[in-house]
Amino acid sequence: MKDHDHPNSHEEKLSPDNHHKEENTHSKEHNGHDEHEKHEEHKNHGHEEQMEHQVHEEHLDHTDHEQKHKGHDHHQAMMDDFKKRFIVSMIVTVPVFFLSEMVQELFGLHFLHFPGDMYVLFILSSFVFFYGGYPFFTGLVNEFKIRQPGMMTLVAVAITTAYIYSVGVTFGLMGMTFYLELVTLIDIMLLGHWIEMRSVMGASRALQELATLLPKNAHNIHDDGTVEDVPLENLKLEDLVLVKPGEKVPADGIIEDGQSYITESLLTGESEPVLRKEGDEIIGGSINGTGSLKVTVKKVGKDSFISQVVALVQEAQESKSSTQDLANRSAFWLTIIALSGGVITLLVWLGVFGHDLAFALERSVTVMVTTCPHALGLAIPLVVAVSTSISAKNGVLIRDRQSFENMKDIQAVIFDKTGTLTEGKFGVTDVISFKKDTFSEDEVLKYAASVEKESEHPIAQGIVKSTHVTYKTKDFQSSPGEGVQATVEDHEVKVVSPAYIEREKIKINSSKLADVEKQPKTLIYVIIDGKAAGVIALADVIRPESKLTVNKLQKQGIRCMMLTGDNEDVARWVAEEIDLDEYFYRILPQEKAHKVHQVQDKGLKVVMVGDGVNDAPALAQADVGIAIGAGTDVAMESADIVLVKSNPEDIVNIMELTKATYSKMKQNLLWATGYNAFAIPLAAGLLYGWGFLLSPAMGAILMSLSTVIVAFNAQLLRIKK
C-alpha cells in the first residue's frame, strides 16, 4: 500500500551534477584538514567514557533522566542481589549435601557422620533458609497483597514447611529431616530468578545510548569572530557554532554559512548523504562531510530531535502490554494443590484414620516436598538459556524473552529500508558498455574507478569500491558542471553526469540504458577518447538475502511491508525488486511508530526490523522489535532481538527457533506440574493399604528426577534450518 498523504520532502538529493560541481572544493578542504582532524580525534579520545552520562543528563530532561536512572539501578540491584544470594547459598549447600543422611546412604559416605552433625545441618540450613529464602518471603507478602499467589508463594510455603518440620525432627520429633531438599530448592529458585532478572536488564539503556550521538563540546563563535570550545549544556538558542569537516553536528539549527554533504541516515533513514547549504536545517547528531559549516542553534533540550526520539521510545516501551508468565500461572495452581494436598493429607490421617501426629505430619510434609517446584523453577529458565545459547551461535541475540516467545504468533513484518533491506551505502548496480568490441563492461568500470579514486565524493567512492583493480592516472582535472577527467592507460577518460551528455548532445542508442533510466538510480557516464563508452548505475544496494527472506515469510502467510524516508520512486523500486506486499514512503522518524501502530490496529501481530536511531520508537512500539546488528546502539537497545550478522534471513530462523522453544517450554511445564498427578497421591499414602508408602526420601528423589528430566529435555532443543 502506498502512502500518498505525506508531503514531499525538500531534501536535496545527491546528484551527479552536484557531485562534479563540488569536487574541487571538497578536495581542497579535505587536504587542508587532514592533520587537524587527526589532532581533534586524538584530543577527544579520552572523553568517550564520560560522554554517555554527561550528555544524557545535560541534554535530556533531568527529571526523566533521574526516573530512568533509578529504574535502571533498581533492576540492577535486584539482579545483583539474586546473584549474591545464590553464590553464598551454594557455598553453604556443599557441606549440607555431604552431611545429609540420604546422600551418605546413597554414596556410602558414613564416615562423614559425627556426633552433633544434625545440629551443624540445622545451623547451615537455617542460614540458607533465612538468607537465601528472604526474597521469597517478601515475594509471598507482595503476592498476598495483590491477592495473586504464584511462584513466590509456592516456594515460600514449601521451604517454610520443610524447615519447620526439619527443625522439629532435629529437636525430638519422630521423622526424617528435609534440610537438603530445603537448601537445594532455594538454590535453584535463586538461580532461576537471577537468570530471569538478567533478561529484563537493558531496556533502560536505550535512552542513554542516544547521548553518544552528540559531541561533548561545541565550537561557539563569539560576536568578535573568536571561537571557543564550550560544553554542550552551555549552548543557548541563537548561538552560532562552527562544525568542522568530519564532526558531529552539536545541535539542531540553520546553516548560516558553508555547504557540505551531511550523513543523516542514522537519524532520518535517508540513505544518501544530503547536500546542506546556507539556509537549510540541520539535525544535531548528524555527521558533517568535507565542508566547514556555521550553524545557528534553533533547538536545545526537550525540543531537540534526539530528545523527541527519546520521548517516543519511552512512550512506546511503556505502552507495550506484558503477558503473565506461563510458569507463574502454573505456580498459582500448583500452590493451591500443594497447600490443599498438605492440609487434606494431615487432616485425613489424623481425623479419618486416627494416626498419630508424627505420622500425619510426615505424610503432609512429604506431599509438600514432592510438590516443591524444583522442576517448575527451571522449566522456563533452562529452555531460555539453551535457546539463547543456540541463537547466539547462529548470530541472533535475544534481549527480551516474552517478545521472543511472541514471534510464533507474528502475522506481519515491517522492514526499514536503508541498512536493513539494503546495505545502506552506494554501490554499483549496473554497468553497460556501448562499445563492447572495444571496451568491456569490466573495463568501463575500471577506467571510471581509476579517475574517481582521486575524488572524495560518495558516488565516486561507490564506483571505486566496486572494483579491486584500477590503473595509474595523470593530468587529473575536475571541471565544475562537466565532471572529472584524467589520462588512463594513454586514453583520455571523462566521468560525467547526464546533464553533460544532454548539453553536449551526445547521442546514445541502448535498449539496456532505457530500462535502467526508468529505475531510481544515479547514472554516471564514461567517455573514452571523446566517445561515449558506457554508463554506470549506482543505488543503495539491496541485500542479496532480502528477497529470499521475504519469500520465505510470505510462504508462512506473513505479510511483508517496508517503511522508508526515501521518495516514492526509490521505495517502489525496492518493493518491486523483493516482492513486498506493501510499502510506505517519505515516513518521518516521528511517524514510524505511528505507522506500526496503524498496522497493529488492523488486528495484526507486528515485527519491526530496523537499524537506525529513527527506527527506535517503531522497534519499541512493535510486538517484537528486531535490530540489524550493523546498526546503531540505540536501535539495538530498543529492540527485543538483535541480528548480529545483519542478515534478514535470520528472521526466518528466529521464527523456527521460537516455535521449537515454546514447544519445549510447554513440555517442561507439563512434566513439572503433571508428575504431581501421580506423585502427590503416593506421597499422601494412597497405597498405604496395599503395603506401599512413599518415604520422604523417595519423594525427594522423585522431585529430583523431575528436575533431571526437565533439564535433559531442554538440552534437546534444536534450531531447524
Side-chain angles (χ1 to χ4, degrees), residues 6-197:
H6 296 280
N8 291 334
S9 171
H10 297 290
E11 295 173 350
E12 186 170 350
K13 288 284 198 176
L14 188 64
S15 69
D17 291 326
N18 291 330
H19 159 38
H20 296 298
K21 284 178 184 178
E22 298 297 322
E23 200 59 63
N24 278 334
T25 305
H26 288 171
S27 297
K28 290 176 183 178
E29 287 176 344
H30 181 78
N31 293 334
H33 288 284
D34 263 353
E35 294 300 318
H36 184 68
E37 287 181 39
K38 290 178 182 178
H39 173 71
E40 289 294 320
E41 182 180 350
H42 175 75
K43 183 177 76 172
N44 293 324
H45 180 71
H47 300 290
E48 288 294 322
E49 293 181 359
Q50 306 172 15
M51 189 183 298
E52 179 176 319
H53 179 75
Q54 262 188 302
V55 179
H56 182 67
E57 184 174 327
E58 293 159 0
H59 288 271
L60 306 181
D61 180 70
H62 188 70
T63 303
D64 290 344
H65 167 75
E66 291 212 340
Q67 290 175 347
K68 281 291 189 181
H69 190 66
K70 288 178 180 177
H72 176 79
D73 287 347
H74 176 68
H75 287 295
Q76 183 68 51
M78 288 181 65
M79 187 182 73
D80 292 342
D81 185 60
F82 277 117
K83 178 183 178 181
K84 180 183 178 181
R85 292 180 187 274
F86 167 70
I87 293 173
V88 173
S89 298
M90 274 296 297
I91 293 172
V92 181
T93 297
V94 174
V96 173
F97 177 82
F98 287 106
L99 291 175
S100 171
E101 183 179 347
M102 184 180 70
V103 172
Q104 292 178 3
E105 287 288 341
L106 287 174
F107 299 101
L109 302 176
H110 300 287
F111 62 91
L112 295 175
H113 175 70
F114 60 89
D117 58 354
M118 184 68 71
Y119 300 106
V120 175
L121 267 174
F122 162 68
I123 294 171
L124 295 174
S125 300
S126 295
F127 174 82
V128 176
F129 175 71
F130 289 106
Y131 177 75
Y134 177 79
F136 306 108
F137 301 140
T138 56
L140 177 147
V141 174
N142 292 331
E143 287 180 351
F144 269 89
K145 282 182 179 179
I146 61 175
R147 299 179 181 179
Q148 291 183 1
M151 181 70 76
M152 291 296 191
T153 300
L154 182 56
V155 175
V157 169
I159 62 177
T160 301
T161 303
Y163 179 74
I164 293 175
Y165 179 77
S166 298
V167 172
V169 172
T170 301
F171 291 98
L173 185 69
M174 294 294 295
M176 183 177 179
T177 63
F178 288 84
Y179 288 132
L180 180 60
E181 292 76 20
L182 164 70
V183 297
T184 54
L185 175 59
I186 292 173
D187 293 340
I188 290 174
M189 297 311 300
L190 286 173
L191 175 62
H193 282 78
W194 175 29
I195 294 173
E196 186 174 7
M197 286 304 303

Side-chain angles (χ1 to χ4, degrees), residues 661-675:
T661 300
Y662 187 69
S663 176
K664 287 296 179 187
M665 287 181 177
K666 288 197 300 182
Q667 291 170 15
N668 278 1
L669 285 173
L670 181 64
W671 175 255
T673 57
Y675 89 101

